[in-house]
Amino acid sequence: MRSNIVSEAGLQTRLGQWWEGIPFLTSAVVGVCATIYVVCLLAGYDSYYEVCFLPSAVISKFQVYRIFTAVLFHGSLLHVLFNMMALVPLGSELERIMGSVRLLYIIILLATTNALLHLLIALLVAYNPIHPFEYLMNECAIGFSGILFSMIVIETSLSGQQYRSVFGLFNVPAKWYAWILLVVFQLVMSNVSLLGHLCGILSGFAYSYGLFNFLIPGPSFYSKIEASSLLSSCVGRRKFILCTGGNPSASIPTYSSQDTTSSGLLSGSLWRNLSSWIPRRETSPQGTQDGQMFPGRGRTLGSGAGQQLSNGRRPINNTVAVGAEIPVHHQDYVASEEAIQKLVSMGFDRTQVEVALAAADGDINVAVEILSQQG
């Protein structure tokens, strides 16, 4: 009897730690999507045709609300469960880099651009003079997976990895990773929106190549939002991450799946990804030495003088200025044009990017932290 009680308490504790380790916005999106599904289930609501993204309804009745309701509603338990399991690692990685408010803006931007691309392609296919095909105009797309595909592209671009693992069965070049997933899902799953996922991939690449730069405000915009009284209760939470890369309690929530080499969707073994909801909090920095895409995960920013990053670097103090002295072993580093363009496409100044890359010894993720801290 006692052993069962202890096991149950241990599971509850680990679940609590896992949930506390998910950053603010990511956990909020998971909570909202899960709540909407449960409420619909209890109320017996299944008229998803009223809330899905339906191109014909958007055009004929101007129901633009479908752009956002479509990403929050899900058609089945497995649908919402799988999407939220994929969102936790992807959203957590991006939120730690971008901050909670910035990631919310990016999600809204991606939802909008995905919908516009979806609408444009559906119109071109339906009304092309060669062979009109109106099916796409009446296709009802629902779920968060379109944004997830955008996140996969963005996270893969930022990770700098050359290869990604699919189901732990085979590796593919990183640039083809999202496309391989698109094909796999179409082959192994039924009732999947090819166009919805395709538009997510296209929006992700558009963001990664800087095509949305004119739509992305600078850090001061997010800082003003964070300083507003409307968000005071949210900003004060421990899980909230400022756009400068930290949070009011000087800690960053930690989510991790042990022994995984990548937190991308369906990376590593199939079982580890399906069981990634089980809480696993790492207690030693040794557990994250070689397999982390983002060295900043699982540590505090600007606190703990004795801490080191998982790749051996000392933690970056939040008060370090861009022009601060750079260690001698970094000064000989020459940033690659590809790395510079990646960071410039995120809205950072080119001169600051070059300095940050030099200070980070070419590590893009550490450079993002440095640039974010400068605001």
Side-chain angles (χ1 to χ4, degrees):
M1 179 68 69
R2 177 174 295 273
S3 61
N4 291 338
I5 294 175
V6 171
S7 298
E8 183 177 355
L11 179 59
Q12 291 176 352
T13 300
R14 292 172 65 194
L15 283 172
Q17 291 176 339
W18 172 77
W19 182 253
E20 285 299 316
I22 304 174
F24 179 81
L25 180 65
T26 303
S27 60
V29 173
V30 172
V32 169
C33 290
T35 300
I36 289 176
Y37 177 76
V38 171
V39 170
C40 290
L41 186 66
L42 295 177
Y45 180 84
D46 59 358
S47 301
Y48 297 115
Y49 198 78
E50 299 175 353
V51 295
C52 67
F53 186 78
L54 188 63
S56 59
V58 173
I59 293 178
S60 62
K61 300 179 181 179
F62 199 63
Q63 295 177 343
V64 293
Y65 66 85
R66 292 176 179 270
I67 294 175
F68 303 106
T69 56
V71 302
L72 297 177
F73 283 78
H74 291 79
S76 67
L77 177 61
L78 287 179
H79 190 198
V80 67
L81 182 62
F82 188 85
N83 278 357
M84 295 304 102
M85 285 172 58
L87 172 64
V88 168
L90 282 169
S92 297
E93 296 284 7
L94 293 177
E95 188 169 354
R96 292 187 187 100
I97 291 177
M98 299 180 178
S100 301
V101 174
R102 192 197 303 257
L103 181 60
L104 175 60
Y105 179 86
I106 295 302
I107 288 177
I108 294 173
L109 176 64
L110 292 174
T112 305
T113 55
N114 287 358
L116 292 177
L117 284 172
H118 191 137
L119 190 62
L120 177 61
I121 295 175
L123 285 171
L124 291 176
V125 173
Y127 297 106
N128 74 85
I130 301 175
H131 182 66
F133 187 67
E134 297 186 5
Y135 170 77
L136 294 179
M137 290 296 295
N138 298 309
E139 181 186 57
C140 187
I142 195 170
F144 203 81
S145 54
I147 295 179
L148 287 176
F149 268 89
S150 297
M151 287 183 166
I152 290 171
V153 174
I154 295 170
E155 189 262 358
T156 299
S157 175
L158 291 175
S159 72
Q161 292 191 356
Q162 298 299 315
Y163 293 92
R164 282 295 178 86
S165 174
V166 179
F167 287 100
L169 300 177
F170 57 91
N171 292 331
V172 297
K175 63 182 179 180
W176 297 110
Y177 180 57
W179 300 106
I180 296 297
L181 289 181
L182 177 68
V183 173
V184 169
F185 284 144
Q186 289 300 131
L187 293 177
V188 303
M189 295 184 180
S190 60
N191 201 26
V192 174
S193 174
L194 171 63
L195 185 54
H197 293 171
L198 173 63
C199 292
I201 292 176
L202 295 178
S203 290
F205 277 112
Y207 175 89
S208 299
Y209 285 104
L211 300 183
F212 294 159
N213 280 359
F214 69 101
L215 296 172
I216 300 177
S220 60
F221 170 80
Y222 308 110
S223 297
K224 289 179 181 178
I225 295 178
E226 292 165 350
S228 67
S229 58
L230 295 176
L231 287 183
S232 58
S233 60
C234 297
V235 174
R237 295 180 180 271
R238 187 182 65 86
K239 298 169 62 171
F240 191 94
I241 299 178
L242 301 175
C243 69
T244 53
N247 58 23
S249 61
S251 64
I252 288 184
T254 302
Y255 168 82
S256 60
S257 296
Q258 289 180 339
D259 303 323
T260 57
T261 59
S262 170
S263 63
L265 182 62
L266 299 179
S267 299
S269 73
L270 175 61
W271 169 247
R272 285 200 299 264
N273 282 276
L274 292 178
S275 61
S276 63
W277 64 271
I278 298 177
R280 283 175 167 79
R281 182 176 293 273
E282 299 172 2
T283 57
S284 169
Q286 299 299 320
T288 59
Q289 282 185 347
D290 299 320
Q292 303 293 351
M293 293 179 299
F294 297 94
R297 108 164 85 180
R299 62 179 180 86
T300 58
L301 286 178
S303 63
Q307 287 182 307
Q308 291 187 352
L309 300 185
S310 58
N311 61 0
R313 294 189 182 89
R314 304 293 295 180
I316 303 167
N317 193 292
N318 285 334
T319 60
V320 175
V322 172
E325 182 179 356
I326 299 174
V328 174
H329 65 278
H330 290 317
Q331 292 178 346
D332 295 331
Y333 175 80
V334 178
S336 68
E337 185 62 26
E338 180 181 3
I340 293 174
Q341 289 301 323
K342 278 187 177 181
L343 296 182
V344 170
S345 69
M346 295 177 64
F348 296 114
D349 179 73
R350 183 183 179 91
T351 302
Q352 292 184 345
V353 165
E354 294 175 350
V355 174
L357 282 171
D361 199 18
D363 192 308
I364 294 180
N365 306 296
V366 176
V368 169
E369 292 181 359
I370 296 175
L371 290 166
S372 298
Q373 290 162 17
Q374 310 316 315

